[in-house]
Amino acid sequence: MRERRFSKKRMPRRVFLVICEGDTEETYVEALKQHFRLPIAIKTKVSGNKINARLVAQYIKELGLAKDDDYQVFYIYDSDIDCVVEKVRAFPGICVLSNPCIELWYMLHHAECRRPLDSANMLKVFSASHHIWKSYLKGRLSNEQMRHLIENRGFAAERAAKLRWPDNPSSNMGVFIEALENAKMS
């Protein structure tokens, strides 16, 4: 007679689905993921400006998440394109915006920024703000740049808290960092 096998009940998974605008945001999230080494899955998807509700639902389905799984969706986008920001803010999940772009968040790790800038000017100010950013390329981070961002994330969050989100300049990336820190403690 055949022996009956009982499968173990699947435990709910904890997942952070991070939908990013581009490679620059994804590279940063991957650096954070590597640093924190959390007991949760952090999955990133780059959707660009073509983000829509159907695409978000598709990403969730691809992950095979069940309704009893504990998951959060984060949208990490630059605020330089108004129509995309409006779309992202309408989706369920946590909207993480840097205005005008993520390089503002990077700069807040070592310097204040209080004057409004467009993305092109922000990149110029940012690359001149510290010696490690002189060789910066969008979508890539050197080991030295990653280390700088990891070690100084608390300073960036403090500086960002002094700015009026979502005005230019501002970033609420600290919300995502806080979620990672909380996940590490639980």
Side-chain angles (χ1 to χ4, degrees):
M1 185 172 226
R2 217 180 203 173
E3 187 178 315
R4 282 182 93 177
R5 293 185 187 187
F6 294 95
S7 62
K8 293 181 183 177
K9 184 174 178 350
R10 187 177 78 80
M11 296 299 291
R13 297 185 296 162
R14 286 193 66 201
V15 178
F16 284 178
L17 170 58
V18 183
I19 301 174
C20 304
E21 179 179 4
D23 295 336
T24 305
E25 292 82 5
E26 182 183 40
T27 300
Y28 180 60
V29 171
E30 291 299 321
L32 291 170
K33 179 177 161 179
Q34 193 176 23
H35 168 73
F36 280 101
R37 298 179 189 214
L38 297 173
I40 61 173
I42 300 173
K43 303 294 182 179
T44 58
K45 292 284 187 176
V46 175
S47 66
N49 297 335
K50 294 178 173 79
I51 185 81
N52 59 50
R54 185 184 52 75
L55 196 57
V56 173
Q58 177 185 330
Y59 291 157
I60 292 170
K61 186 178 178 181
E62 284 174 7
L63 291 175
L65 296 172
K67 58 184 171 187
D68 64 333
D69 288 330
D70 178 15
Y71 71 93
Q72 286 183 283
V73 181
F74 294 87
Y75 306 92
I76 300 181
Y77 274 76
D78 295 344
S79 292
D80 55 353
I81 302 175
D82 290 334
C83 64
V84 173
V85 170
E86 290 172 24
K87 271 199 274 185
V88 171
R89 288 179 125 178
F91 300 143
I94 299 169
C95 195
V96 179
L97 300 171
S98 293
N99 194 354
C101 54
I102 195 168
E103 285 79 11
L104 166 73
W105 172 252
Y106 292 174
M107 191 168 108
L108 292 175
H109 286 71
H110 58 271
E112 300 276 342
C113 181
R114 298 208 182 262
R115 69 181 175 151
L117 297 164
D118 61 19
S119 293
N121 286 322
M122 181 72 238
L123 285 170
K124 288 176 189 172
V125 170
F126 164 66
S127 62
S129 68
H130 194 282
H131 72 278
I132 66 168
W133 301 114
K134 288 189 188 326
S135 62
Y136 172 73
L137 296 170
K138 284 188 84 55
R140 294 195 177 136
L141 292 171
S142 69
N143 289 337
E144 183 183 18
Q145 291 166 343
M146 282 192 288
R147 191 171 36 260
H148 176 76
L149 293 173
I150 297 298
E151 290 173 358
N152 296 295
R153 66 187 184 277
F155 295 119
E158 288 173 17
R159 290 182 180 111
K162 295 176 187 174
L163 302 172
R164 285 178 66 160
W165 188 83
D167 294 347
N168 182 347
S170 68
S171 178
N172 70 332
M173 184 67 78
V175 170
F176 182 63
I177 302 295
E178 186 177 331
L180 294 173
E181 299 274 2
N182 290 341
K184 189 166 188 153
M185 291 183 202
S186 59

